[in-house]
Amino acid sequence: IYAQNDPASVPELTTPPFIEVGQGVIGHVAQTHQSLCVADGRTEPQQQPLMQDLRAALAVPILLNNHLLGVLSIESRSPDTYTDQHTTILQTLANQAALVINVGRSYTKLRINYDQLQDAHSDLTLRNEISRLSSSMSSLKQRLPQFASYLAAFAEADVCLITLWDDFDSKVRTISWSEGTLTQIDESHLNTIASACTELLVRTTKPIIINHI
């Protein structure tokens, strides 16, 4: 993150540079985990500030349990700008930043774990419902639409179709769809698509992908 106090006085930094560990002021702090104050970058070329027009620089590490999270730095066009007091203040801000970053990362991790648990619970519930429905004593005509609805929910699909193929007569015998499907697609159109896809699938025994129906 890069910010300027007076954009008119400092050339715009359009693309954040890639800083290697050990390179310049920021890279040195990242490598040593120690603060660094440069009075004048022109007299200390090995410790150049982020931009050539800047001369003085102060950088402190953002640490949490001795683990480097980042580097906080400030720079000035005037030499001999920063003192020990600036270092103390900046390090205090860096310590606070470390806590904020850690809390943010912890929250993100907990949120991901929670979402994964929710997904696993939903999948398990749907699997149990499908298993229960498969062993139900109700008629096939009653079970198939419910089965299609559960499959649609499990796959997060808008529509799920189930067709039964009559191998003796070589034709589609039954077409069932998930609940709410017919409010989106005309029944005759749905039957035509399902029959054609099923016949093609029986002949080729290969998956069929149709992007537009």
Side-chain angles (χ1 to χ4, degrees):
I1 300 174
Y2 182 80
Q4 299 173 187
N5 183 41
D6 184 4
S9 65
V10 181
E12 183 180 1
L13 187 65
T14 55
T15 304
F18 176 78
I19 302 174
E20 295 183 359
V21 175
Q23 174 188 354
V25 176
I26 295 176
H28 178 84
V29 173
Q31 184 178 55
T32 63
H33 293 192
Q34 299 292 326
S35 62
L36 177 63
C37 183
V38 176
D40 191 345
R42 294 181 182 178
T43 61
E44 301 179 59
Q46 73 279 10
Q47 303 296 355
Q48 281 291 329
L50 185 60
M51 300 181 66
Q52 293 182 353
D53 284 359
L54 301 173
R55 298 182 63 177
L58 172 61
V60 298
I62 303 175
L63 298 171
L64 184 70
N65 299 326
N66 294 323
H67 176 69
L68 183 71
L69 300 180
V71 174
L72 182 59
S73 70
I74 54 177
E75 302 180 358
S76 172
R77 298 185 67 182
S78 302
D80 302 310
T81 300
Y82 304 113
T83 65
D84 290 342
Q85 184 178 7
H86 289 110
T87 302
T88 300
I89 295 173
L90 197 63
Q91 188 61 69
T92 301
L93 293 174
N95 294 341
Q96 294 296 319
L99 295 176
V100 172
I101 293 171
N102 184 58
V103 169
R105 289 180 174 178
S106 298
Y107 175 80
T108 300
K109 185 176 180 179
L110 286 173
R111 184 65 192 181
I112 292 174
N113 291 339
Y114 175 79
D115 290 341
Q116 290 175 342
L117 286 174
Q118 286 291 96
D119 291 342
H121 179 265
S122 298
D123 289 351
L124 181 60
T125 300
L126 285 169
R127 290 177 189 273
N128 289 339
E129 287 296 324
I130 291 173
S131 178
R132 181 189 62 79
L133 192 59
S134 299
S135 59
S136 172
M137 298 300 293
S138 59
S139 67
L140 192 62
K141 185 176 181 181
Q142 292 176 317
R143 279 185 288 168
L144 283 181
Q146 292 178 296
F147 196 65
S149 296
Y150 284 131
L151 287 176
F154 185 74
E156 297 182 353
D158 295 322
V159 175
C160 179
L161 302 178
I162 297 178
T163 60
L164 298 183
W165 179 255
D166 188 332
D167 198 44
F168 181 79
D169 292 330
S170 296
K171 66 178 183 180
V172 174
R173 182 166 63 88
T174 303
I175 299 177
S176 296
W177 44 83
S178 52
E179 296 177 1
T181 298
L182 293 183
T183 62
Q184 306 173 43
I185 304 176
D186 178 71
E187 181 176 0
S188 61
H189 182 55
L190 189 68
N191 289 338
T192 300
I193 295 173
S195 297
C197 288
T198 302
E199 291 174 4
L200 180 60
L201 184 62
V202 169
R203 290 200 307 269
T204 63
T205 65
K206 295 181 180 180
I208 301 170
I209 298 177
I210 301 176
N211 291 320
H212 300 282
I213 58 174

